[in-house]
Amino acid sequence: MSLASVSDILQMAVEKNTSVIAFNCIDYNTIYSVCHAAENVNKPVLCMLYPEHHTLNRWIDPEGFAAAVKDVASTVSVPVAMHLDHCYDFNYIIRAIRAGFSGVMYDGSMLPVEENIANTRKVVDVANAFGVSVEAELGHVGMAATGDNATDDLYTQPAVAADFIERSGCTSLAVAIGSAHGFYKETPHLQISRLAEINAATDAPLVLHGGSGIPDDQLDEAFVNGINKFNVGTEFLDLYIKTIGEYTSQDKGWILDLPTYLQGKLMSYLEKKMELSKF
Ligand code: 13P
């Protein structure tokens, strides 16, 4: 199948009252594993590039990412789309759109709300002209290591959400309701009542970040209360590095068999995770 668009997949999730899962991918192994795991469980999926994995860590760039996703997506029969994760740089967003990303996130969540709205609007005006959807963030999903998930000062305020979505023109909204990025120090507790209030105030698909380590029963609840896109990175990439460690500690662990070994392990994890998506 050729590439699907992020907005088409979000629409499918809205119609099924569930969430698509967006996985942070860094290279061909991760992209291959995400697309083929989705094929094996017959569900749509999103491959997501986090800009700093390229700009700071020198993993794949947007053009290489787009070429790899297009290539692998053409060999599977489920809808696959590519999305740019947290981006603060207008020019990098344009670069991703030119490369073929059909969804981008502009993250102005650390800015005053009016500035966040104005910057998001600027991205929306350009992105929509290319048929690209824009995810924005209101409230701030911080870092689990510093306990930001438990700081409700950072949470999204339901009373502000509808106005933010209308004035910024964003397609989807990342909400802060008790999750954070990275491994949690203690089990997180999502504020489902806050999510339900935000969901009642708007028709826009809502996005949950910081997916690594949130218990499945909380995710089930979040998915029927308006979360239509769910981001997972840390636990997926942690499995990647641990699997390489495990492989290299074996006697027969030579380089050429590494991708198939690695992809097999990643796909088992991904297929299980994707069971949460009720497509
Ligand atoms: P984790 O790395 O905590 O799974 O979060 C991923 C994410 O939200 C990417 O935007």
Side-chain angles (χ1 to χ4, degrees):
M1 189 182 255
S2 58
L3 272 182
S5 75
V6 170
S7 56
D8 284 350
I9 292 181
L10 285 177
Q11 192 49 41
M12 291 169 70
V14 169
E15 279 162 21
K16 295 271 181 179
N17 201 23
T18 190
S19 180
V20 64
I21 309 187
F23 292 98
N24 287 117
C25 295
I26 52 175
D27 66 357
Y28 186 80
N29 282 313
T30 44
I31 290 168
Y32 182 98
S33 303
V34 167
C35 296
H36 282 271
E39 167 89 337
N40 291 347
V41 295
N42 195 29
K43 294 179 199 280
V45 77
L46 302 179
C47 293
M48 199 163 58
L49 173 67
Y50 179 63
E52 287 176 12
H53 289 163
H54 156 231
T55 56
L56 291 184
N57 308 120
R58 278 191 254 154
W59 288 100
I60 200 163
D61 66 14
E63 293 75 21
F65 191 96
V69 176
K70 276 181 208 157
D71 180 34
V72 182
S74 71
T75 66
V76 299
S77 58
V78 289
V80 173
M82 54 189 169
H83 182 79
L84 186 71
D85 202 9
H86 300 269
C87 194
Y88 317 95
D89 176 353
F90 183 80
N91 290 331
Y92 198 92
I93 288 175
I94 301 300
R95 177 173 171 181
I97 292 173
R98 287 173 74 110
F101 283 66
S102 59
V104 295
M105 177 183 192
Y106 169 72
D107 181 358
S109 64
M110 292 296 276
L111 302 171
V113 175
E114 288 302 319
E115 213 177 319
N116 189 358
I117 291 174
N119 291 0
T120 304
R121 181 90 240 175
K122 196 170 144 204
V123 172
V124 165
D125 287 344
V126 176
N128 285 2
F130 290 93
V132 169
S133 61
V134 177
E135 177 180 329
E137 181 168 320
L138 178 67
H140 180 65
V141 182
M143 300 306 296
T146 46
D148 289 344
N149 49 297
T151 310
D152 58 8
D153 286 356
L154 300 174
Y155 289 7
T156 307
Q157 295 187 18
V160 185
D163 179 62
F164 179 92
I165 292 166
E166 195 185 320
R167 287 169 58 216
S168 69
C170 66
T171 318
S172 60
L173 185 71
V175 290
I177 55 162
S179 66
H181 300 97
F183 284 126
Y184 295 96
K185 292 195 284 191
E186 286 171 21
T187 306
H189 296 285
L190 300 180
Q191 275 193 0
I192 300 294
S193 56
R194 183 182 294 263
L195 173 62
E197 267 189 77
I198 301 167
N199 191 35
T202 175
D203 289 335
L206 303 176
V207 182
L208 185 65
H209 284 241
S212 299
I214 301 175
D216 288 356
D217 59 335
Q218 293 191 42
L219 293 174
D220 285 339
E221 267 201 87
F223 292 2
V224 294
N225 278 284
I227 295 298
N228 299 123
K229 173 173 174 281
F230 170 57
N231 289 5
V232 176
T234 302
E235 64 184 22
F236 178 44
L237 300 180
D238 186 63
L239 177 64
Y240 186 118
I241 187 70
K242 286 200 172 120
T243 304
I244 291 179
E246 178 190 297
Y247 181 79
T248 51
S249 69
Q250 295 169 8
D251 278 354
K252 298 193 290 311
W254 81 304
I255 182 76
L256 294 184
D257 291 332
L258 175 61
T260 44
Y261 183 84
L262 180 58
Q263 291 161 13
K265 294 277 179 178
L266 293 178
M267 282 162 60
S268 304
Y269 157 80
L270 291 161
E271 286 167 23
K272 179 138 197 347
K273 199 85 195 169
M274 283 188 232
E275 281 171 17
L276 288 162
S277 288
K278 308 292 184 216
F279 285 97

